[in-house]
Amino acid sequence: MSEGQIRQSLSGFYDIYSDGKTYRTRARGNFRKRKITPLVGDRVTFESTSPKEGYVLEILPRDNELTRPPVANVDQGVVVTAVASPEFSTGLLDRQLIALEVSDITPVIYFTKTDLIDDARYQEFEKLAAGYRQIGYSVCLTREPFAETGLDQLKQELAGKETVIMGQTGAGKSTLLNHISPDLALATGEISTALNRGKHTTRKVSLMPIAGGLVADTPGFSSYETLTIDYRDLCHYFPEFLNVAQNCRFRGCVHVNEPGCAVKDGLANGDFMQSRYDNYLQLLTLLKNQKPIYNKKK
């Protein structure tokens, strides 16, 4: 019996990387009976009589998992965010960050298309980036979108970690990966197809070695779906609010109309970004008015 990591899943086969070698395996028959599905990124035990024949025996405990793409044990998500074309939105960026926070995945923000804006607008993004850094997020922002300083920073972030790349269509995900790893030769707008080698895009999931780490394909990875968390838990996914919430007068404060609210005091003192609080209120209202979703497939 050996241990390894599932690096690729295709049509019921699982390619496991262990001690520098790859083994093609299937899941044991009782997995289906127990409704257990191995995921790319899973750490597993397996047995194999040859590199092309073997069985997954056990899935070791997962740190986290995503449904789109179906991967496990993700360390971080790089949110590729265009400053223009498509138009930038703090609301969309914050929703992407929340989606990662909910899944216990560390966010990294990478701003692209900075060559499309003038210096005055760029200074606004420098202030915005400083605000996100103050919260604790890693942010890559350079005057040229793929300057060596930004790429070097991201390469350091990718090294030794399992990462998903996410962002709006047209944000520059494939262009970014091409700059980090030119041998990928990804066509613009075709990141998911290229990472899946252009075939079986709904059936094949893989982790690709890039910059000393592993990058998962992200077809359909949606942080734009309706959040299903309880509105009273939303503040838990805004790290800056969570850090001071213990100082609120009332336990269970949702930071809207309650007196003695440490979050609102911090906002008044300029400790927090106004855009973050505005987006928080907007999402809070959305979640409060959201109808329960029953029988939602995971």
Side-chain angles (χ1 to χ4, degrees):
M1 184 172 68
S2 304
E3 288 191 14
Q5 182 189 41
I6 297 177
R7 293 284 180 89
Q8 179 172 282
S9 169
L10 174 63
S11 303
F13 289 97
Y14 302 97
D15 289 352
I16 298 174
Y17 184 81
S18 176
D19 293 328
K21 297 180 181 179
T22 299
Y23 300 85
R24 175 147 293 188
T25 66
R26 287 185 177 273
R28 293 178 65 180
N30 64 359
F31 275 39
R32 179 174 295 180
K33 294 178 182 178
R34 295 158 58 195
K35 296 183 178 179
I36 297 174
T37 302
L39 297 178
V40 167
D42 270 332
R43 296 180 290 266
V44 299
T45 60
F46 69 102
E47 59 182 10
S48 180
T49 56
S50 74
K52 295 184 178 180
E53 294 183 11
Y55 289 92
V56 179
L57 302 178
E58 180 186 6
I59 299 173
L60 302 179
R62 292 169 178 162
D63 297 328
N64 54 43
E65 63 182 276
L66 295 171
T67 54
R68 293 197 296 175
V71 293
N73 302 315
V74 178
D75 296 306
Q76 63 187 1
V78 176
V79 183
V80 181
T81 304
V83 299
S85 186
E87 184 178 356
F88 173 75
S89 163
T90 60
L92 178 58
L93 174 56
D94 284 339
R95 287 192 64 140
Q96 292 170 315
L97 297 176
I98 292 167
L100 293 172
E101 295 279 4
V102 168
S103 297
D104 195 26
I105 296 171
T106 301
V108 176
I109 304 169
Y110 194 105
F111 286 105
T112 61
K113 301 192 177 182
T114 47
D115 55 332
L116 300 182
I117 57 177
D118 59 26
D119 289 342
R121 180 63 170 151
Y122 181 75
Q123 289 178 1
E124 294 177 9
F125 275 98
E126 283 189 316
K127 183 178 180 180
L128 189 75
Y132 281 106
R133 290 190 185 105
Q134 184 175 349
I135 295 170
Y137 292 123
S138 176
V139 181
C140 300
L141 173 70
T142 55
R143 191 62 185 94
E144 292 298 320
F146 303 110
E148 286 302 316
T149 52
L151 293 176
D152 287 345
Q153 179 184 343
L154 186 57
K155 288 177 182 178
Q156 291 178 10
E157 299 281 2
L158 294 178
K161 297 176 183 176
E162 185 176 317
T163 304
V164 293
I165 308 290
M166 56 188 290
Q168 267 186 301
T169 300
K173 298 185 293 293
S174 38
T175 304
L176 174 59
L177 284 179
N178 277 337
H179 277 84
I180 294 174
S181 185
D183 58 314
L184 288 175
L186 303 181
T188 302
E190 294 181 358
I191 176 173
S192 60
T193 300
L195 288 174
N196 279 296
R197 299 294 187 241
K199 298 181 180 179
H200 308 292
T201 54
T202 60
R203 300 163 61 196
K204 178 178 177 179
V205 180
S206 60
L207 292 173
M208 297 185 62
I210 295 176
L214 296 169
V215 175
D217 54 90
T218 56
F221 179 34
S222 176
S223 63
Y224 321 112
E225 293 180 340
T226 301
L227 292 170
T228 55
I229 59 175
D230 189 294
Y231 76 92
R232 288 162 291 196
D233 294 331
L234 180 62
C235 61
H236 298 166
Y237 305 110
F238 283 75
E240 68 273 39
F241 299 165
L242 185 61
N243 288 337
V244 303
Q246 60 184 359
N247 298 322
C248 291
R249 183 185 304 175
F250 297 105
R251 187 176 181 179
C253 180
V254 293
H255 320 309
V256 180
N257 297 315
E258 301 92 336
C261 173
V263 170
K264 289 196 297 180
D265 289 345
L267 186 69
N269 294 333
D271 298 334
F272 304 134
M273 299 165 65
Q274 184 66 49
S275 61
R276 289 276 288 177
Y277 185 72
D278 292 344
N279 292 334
Y280 168 77
L281 291 181
Q282 185 178 35
L283 280 172
L284 189 74
T285 301
L286 180 67
L287 290 172
K288 287 180 71 173
N289 297 331
Q290 186 171 280
K291 295 181 180 179
I293 299 176
Y294 300 103
N295 299 322
K296 180 177 175 64
K297 293 183 179 179
K298 294 184 178 181

